[in-house]
Amino acid sequence: MRIFFLFSLLALGYASSPSPEFGSRCRCTADQACWPSASVFSDFEKSISQPLIYPLPPASACYPSSSPSGNCTEALENWDDGNWRANHSGASQSPNFETYTWRNGTISACYKETSLGVPCGQGSVPVVGIDAREPSDIQAAVNFAVKHNLRLTVKNTGHDYFGRSSGRGSFLVWTHNMKDISYNASFVPQGAPRHSGASTAITLGAGVQWHEAYDAANAQGQILVGGASAGGSVGAAGGWLLGGGHSALSPKYGLGVDNVLEMTIVTSTGEHLTVNDYQHADLFWALRGGGGGTYGIVTSVTYRTYPSFGLVAGYFVATANNTDVMRKVVTEYVRVHPSLSDAGWSGYSTLSNASLTFFYIMANGTEVAANSSMNPFFDFAKNLTSEGLTISTALTYAYPSWYAWYAGLFAHGDQNGANVQTGSRLLPRETFEYNYKELANALLELDGVAFNFVGGGQMAKINPDSVGVNPAWRRTLVHITFGTGWQDGSTVEEIQQNIGALKAKIKRIRDLTPFSGAYFNEASLYETNPQYTFFGFHYPILKVIKLKYDPHSLFVVQEGVGSEDWNSDLTCRRTLL
């Protein structure tokens, strides 16, 4: 009943708030006469702490006429490095979101393969923006964007499978250099009642990345719930969190949004708000899972931290020379996941028609407990070696701390720089319990799945209405992603053919789990019902909060709350209200 009561309160609050200011039906972009002149931008520059930036696609360094001082060798050597890309205001982690496809089928892009003979184009990379270092910079930029009706984009690291941090002809707020970090052993949210309990907490500026956050927490003997990617380049206070934020620690402590104590945010009215359970609680609720770049620009996040602990890891790597044996091992692998969850396991895996790899953890586990729960699967797999299964790794290993496990696997490496579009699904526990054979068949048909074992445990015990994230997460055991890709220079027809195959895969797994959903941060642009798929029955209340705190409708992102009111470029409203 809580969700309906909250909806009523918000509806009343919205009725007394300012009506949305719609002004022009379309946002102004750099190719239009309405775009501010150089002198107007020059005057604006005086109000911010850093010079204006003029983002360029990262491959522009290989085109002397586009970037005369660029270092092409550096760009090519670091092309796949997520941290290198994050340090460039014009780079996305997936270069396809740097491109723009015109209606006639031509593509504006800046490819690293100069031999393609395609001129370096700006594509969807914003043309001008600010290098934000403090909230006042963001406030000035927001006020400027509202005054001139600009198409606004917000970017931290560019990790985004929807391309939400890019936009053709747009004005950019780049938060990547807001790197403040502070630890507080007795944090109390602003506005909390006297004698409220204190928490160990870490406050991260908008630009802090996970490798920086983990290092800072570890220095205090603490850990926090966060993401895992090669090099730790994902932002810790941006889209990862605002979309929900899953982690190998989620079964123990909940999602990222379940561990936030407070945020600060700049809204489209230029206000810098501190939001928590006691101040602007409705906005705080929405920010925890209601989607990044939708309600304002987050300037800091305060997370609850926990004392460091040891763990046991389980590793398995196997390949098969025939699909029959792969089907057997994957079917058993799927079947045992409810019992592995109950034993305290979580982690990450990849599987296909030819291989299965996983690296799991048992937080605070003992080697005895780990072996007793994992060995039955290891033994099952070993019995298939005579049928063509080759096992190169099947073991458990104790680590002194979670940080030691993380640093060994994720501190280094590259996993970016490729043209990618994804699909995903939240797989409920009941599907594993009652339909595991069909689920195994579907996963094998996808033939290339990232199998994120990040659900169940404590996460399933949290009230689904306590935060704005998709309630489907509370029934989820595993979150899967799969995708498609293409080479630079591919035609629109070739790209669309790949996307068509991706859509078929999405339908296959959606039909198997019709009442579930998908993770907003790692999903598809081609869901048939994105509002329900990404937000579930929370969507109507999220829309009310969106209208209340963004009266200028400034913050609009692909598939985000309210995006259905805009065209595909997010530049013109479909209707006037």
Side-chain angles (χ1 to χ4, degrees):
M1 294 298 293
R2 178 181 181 274
I3 188 72
F4 300 108
F5 176 66
L6 182 58
F7 182 84
S8 298
L9 289 178
L10 285 170
L12 289 172
Y14 174 58
S16 60
S17 65
S19 298
E21 297 178 12
F22 288 101
S24 171
R25 178 174 173 267
C26 295
R27 292 284 185 241
C28 186
T29 53
D31 56 348
Q32 297 175 308
C34 57
W35 191 253
S37 66
S39 63
V40 172
F41 272 111
S42 179
D43 287 341
F44 163 68
E45 190 173 32
K46 298 172 185 176
S47 67
I48 54 179
S49 66
Q50 304 293 315
L52 288 169
I53 57 174
Y54 299 90
L56 291 172
S60 64
C62 300
Y63 297 78
S65 62
S66 299
S67 180
S69 60
N71 187 332
C72 182
T73 300
E74 176 191 325
L76 297 179
E77 289 178 349
N78 293 282
W79 192 257
D80 300 331
D81 187 330
N83 282 299
W84 181 85
R85 286 186 162 273
N87 289 333
H88 288 74
S89 61
S92 295
Q93 300 295 337
S94 300
N96 48 295
F97 292 115
E98 300 164 6
T99 70
Y100 182 79
T101 302
W102 297 94
R103 290 186 177 181
N104 65 4
T106 60
I107 299 175
S108 173
C110 191
Y111 299 127
K112 69 173 181 176
E113 302 293 342
T114 57
S115 60
L116 291 171
V118 178
C120 177
Q122 188 75 6
S124 290
V125 176
V127 297
V128 62
I130 70 160
D131 177 5
R133 302 299 176 98
E134 51 196 48
S136 61
D137 289 333
I138 298 176
Q139 290 175 289
V142 164
N143 290 335
F144 182 76
V146 169
K147 178 179 179 180
H148 295 282
N149 193 35
L150 304 184
R151 166 82 162 94
L152 181 74
T153 51
V154 183
K155 178 177 180 285
N156 178 359
T157 65
H159 277 277
D160 197 327
Y161 291 118
F162 282 164
R164 293 173 294 185
S165 54
S166 61
R168 183 184 66 85
S170 64
F171 176 63
L172 176 69
V173 174
W174 190 38
T175 64
H176 180 61
N177 289 312
M178 298 179 71
K179 296 286 191 179
D180 290 344
I181 300 176
S182 62
Y183 175 73
N184 190 334
S186 55
F187 178 83
V188 178
Q190 191 176 113
R194 294 183 63 184
H195 311 301
S196 295
S199 304
T200 56
I202 191 166
T203 299
L204 310 175
V208 174
Q209 294 164 271
W210 278 118
H211 70 91
E212 298 162 329
Y214 290 144
D215 288 349
N218 185 62
Q220 302 292 335
Q222 299 281 301
I223 62 166
L224 71 162
V225 176
S229 64
S233 58
V234 173
W240 178 89
L241 172 68
L242 301 177
H246 71 68
S247 167
L249 293 175
S250 291
K252 184 173 179 63
Y253 295 122
L255 292 166
V257 293
D258 299 320
N259 288 277
V260 176
L261 299 172
E262 189 168 274
M263 299 185 193
T264 56
I265 181 173
V266 174
T267 67
S268 67
T269 60
E271 296 175 277
H272 188 219
L273 304 178
T274 297
V275 302
N276 52 44
D277 281 329
Y278 312 100
Q279 298 181 163
H280 308 288
D282 52 352
L283 180 57
F284 187 51
W285 182 88
L287 288 171
R288 289 176 291 166
T294 304
Y295 309 92
I297 302 177
V298 171
T299 58
S300 72
V301 175
T302 300
Y303 286 98
R304 180 183 290 107
T305 65
Y306 302 92
S308 181
F309 55 78
L311 58 81
V312 179
Y315 297 99
F316 182 82
V317 180
T319 57
N321 59 12
N322 66 80
T323 56
D324 289 339
V325 71
M326 204 66 227
R327 190 174 306 280
K328 289 180 181 180
V329 72
V330 169
T331 299
E332 178 65 7
Y333 176 68
V334 170
R335 186 190 71 82
V336 301
H337 266 76
S339 62
L340 292 179
S341 176
D342 293 342
W345 288 101
S346 62
Y348 307 100
S349 171
T350 59
L351 64 88
S352 70
N353 280 320
S355 65
L356 171 62
T357 299
F358 67 74
F359 39 107
Y360 286 174
I361 61 172
M362 179 183 282
N364 278 331
T366 66
E367 290 188 79
V368 171
N371 289 331
S372 65
S373 56
M374 187 61 74
N375 280 346
F377 174 75
F378 285 167
D379 293 340
F380 179 90
K382 290 173 182 176
N383 287 333
L384 294 175
T385 56
S386 62
E387 300 181 35
L389 187 70
T390 300
I391 301 173
S392 56
T393 303
L395 59 85
T396 58
Y397 185 83
Y399 287 83
S401 68
W402 176 89
Y403 182 83
W405 173 79
Y406 166 83
L409 289 177
F410 298 102
H412 305 285
D414 303 329
Q415 65 180 65
N416 304 284
N419 300 313
V420 173
Q421 287 200 16
T422 63
S424 78
R425 199 69 179 168
L426 301 175
L427 303 180
R429 177 174 176 132
E430 58 262 29
T431 306
F432 287 83
E433 293 177 328
Y434 303 115
N435 202 12
Y436 68 89
K437 291 183 180 179
E438 183 61 22
L439 176 56
N441 288 336
L443 294 174
L444 289 168
E445 289 173 25
L446 297 178
D447 194 23
V449 176
F451 192 86
N452 303 294
F453 186 19
V454 293
Q458 180 60 33
M459 196 176 74
K461 300 175 184 178
I462 296 172
N463 180 350
D465 295 336
S466 61
V467 294
V469 77
N470 191 339
W473 268 110
R474 306 308 174 184
R475 298 185 291 108
T476 294
L477 197 62
V478 171
H479 155 59
I480 62 167
T481 61
F482 44 93
T484 189
W486 54 87
Q487 297 297 315
D488 283 351
S490 296
T491 65
V492 171
E493 291 75 18
E494 291 168 336
I495 294 171
Q496 288 303 317
Q497 185 175 5
N498 285 1
I499 290 173
L502 176 63
K503 290 178 180 178
K505 292 181 178 182
I506 294 169
K507 183 178 186 305
R508 174 69 171 98
I509 200 69
R510 184 176 60 234
D511 289 347
L512 184 63
T513 57
F515 302 110
S516 187
Y519 178 37
F520 186 56
N521 288 346
E522 300 172 7
S524 169
L525 289 164
Y526 312 106
E527 289 288 351
T528 56
N529 184 0
Q531 290 80 34
Y532 179 80
T533 298
F534 299 135
F535 306 107
F537 57 76
H538 285 165
Y539 188 80
I541 194 170
L542 292 170
K543 185 74 175 285
V544 170
I545 297 170
K546 159 74 173 173
L547 294 172
K548 176 181 176 182
Y549 285 95
D550 183 16
H552 297 290
S553 296
L554 182 65
F555 303 108
V556 187
V557 299
Q558 293 289 352
E559 307 296 8
V561 174
S563 63
E564 69 275 15
D565 299 332
W566 295 75
N567 66 358
S568 59
D569 280 350
L570 305 181
T571 54
C572 294
R573 297 182 182 85
R574 298 184 189 277
T575 59
L576 289 174
L577 300 183

